[in-house]
Amino acid sequence: MSNSNTTLIQTGLAGLGYSPGPVDGFFGARTKAAATAWLAAEGRPAGAILPAETTAMIFQGKARYPVREIALHCSATRSDWMASSGLAAQRAEIRRWHMQDNGWRDIAYHWLLGRGGDILAGRPETEIGAGIMGHNNGVIHICLIGGHGASERDPFARHFTSQQNISLRQLLQGIGMRTQISLISGHNQYAPKACPGFTVSEWLKEAA
């Protein structure tokens, strides 16, 4: 049976650059191997010789930025976009948009949430993203697949699934266990656009 605590462990391992497999709440062989590697590295990110507190830091060169905010986004794609291809293929396509079309060095987001509630890492959490122009230092960016035709004041359920709702709240909780988050925002709070396709403050109140 899927376990929400295991889901939090998997998101944490993936955020540190390990490979726990799908974020599905099942403690299988890949999750066990990733956890073992993390323990062997004494909590450091995978492939990095960094102090343990980097789980709560974003780095750019020698500059360190405490992670205090999570910004939510959407892909602005139709609900059936690449539905048969899976989230890994959708991530690859978004990465192509960002690298080839925008000239960025990687996908803008740290996390992506598929229509079925599946979760995949984008950029490592310890690297600065590119989700909001001029507002990326110390910000973790999360992108929900979907949101085509949404407006900034639409309810979450109009464009996104119940599985995404559950997974997003679990992902936020998991990040919050690794660093002190003081703000969860939407892209539309920093730019005149609909993204993420709902009002984040209202969505957060739904779980209160």
Side-chain angles (χ1 to χ4, degrees):
M1 181 179 291
S2 177
N3 185 301
S4 60
N5 290 328
T6 301
T7 298
L8 298 179
I9 292 170
Q10 290 171 325
T11 60
L13 289 169
L16 290 171
Y18 295 91
S19 300
V23 180
D24 55 10
F26 293 97
F27 198 85
R30 290 180 64 183
T31 300
K32 182 177 180 180
T36 300
W38 174 73
L39 288 170
E42 298 180 342
R44 293 189 296 269
I49 304 175
L50 297 171
E53 67 267 19
T54 58
T55 55
M57 292 282 181
I58 287 179
F59 285 72
Q60 185 176 48
K62 295 183 179 179
R64 294 154 48 116
Y65 302 96
V67 177
R68 294 291 181 260
E69 181 178 352
I70 299 172
L72 305 184
H73 304 261
C74 70
S75 61
T77 50
R78 297 183 183 277
S79 59
D80 61 350
W81 175 70
M82 296 183 66
S84 62
S85 301
L87 184 56
Q90 293 169 330
R91 177 183 60 182
E93 180 62 7
I94 295 172
R95 177 175 277 121
R96 186 188 67 79
W97 296 345
H98 291 176
M99 295 181 71
Q100 293 186 15
D101 299 347
N102 296 348
W104 299 339
R105 61 182 177 80
D106 198 357
I107 191 169
Y109 313 117
H110 297 98
W111 294 99
L112 295 96
L113 273 70
R115 304 287 296 173
D118 41 335
I119 303 171
L120 279 180
R123 289 195 192 194
E125 284 187 352
T126 50
E127 295 183 9
I128 292 177
I132 300 172
M133 184 178 294
H135 189 76
N136 294 297
N137 296 346
V139 181
I140 296 294
H141 296 282
I142 299 174
C143 178
L144 293 147
I145 300 298
H148 175 78
S151 74
E152 63 179 310
R153 299 193 180 279
D154 284 346
F156 182 95
R158 183 171 297 174
H159 303 285
F160 304 101
T161 68
S162 59
Q163 295 96 322
Q164 285 177 305
N165 186 21
I166 293 169
S167 293
L168 178 55
R169 294 186 189 279
Q170 290 178 339
L171 181 56
L172 294 176
Q173 183 181 3
I175 296 171
M177 292 172 68
R178 302 193 297 279
T179 184
Q180 186 175 354
I181 298 298
S182 57
L183 177 63
I184 300 172
S185 63
H187 193 172
N188 50 26
Q189 293 173 228
Y190 298 98
K193 54 177 59 185
C195 178
F198 57 97
T199 303
V200 172
S201 60
E202 293 300 316
W203 174 77
L204 289 170
K205 290 178 183 177
E206 293 175 10

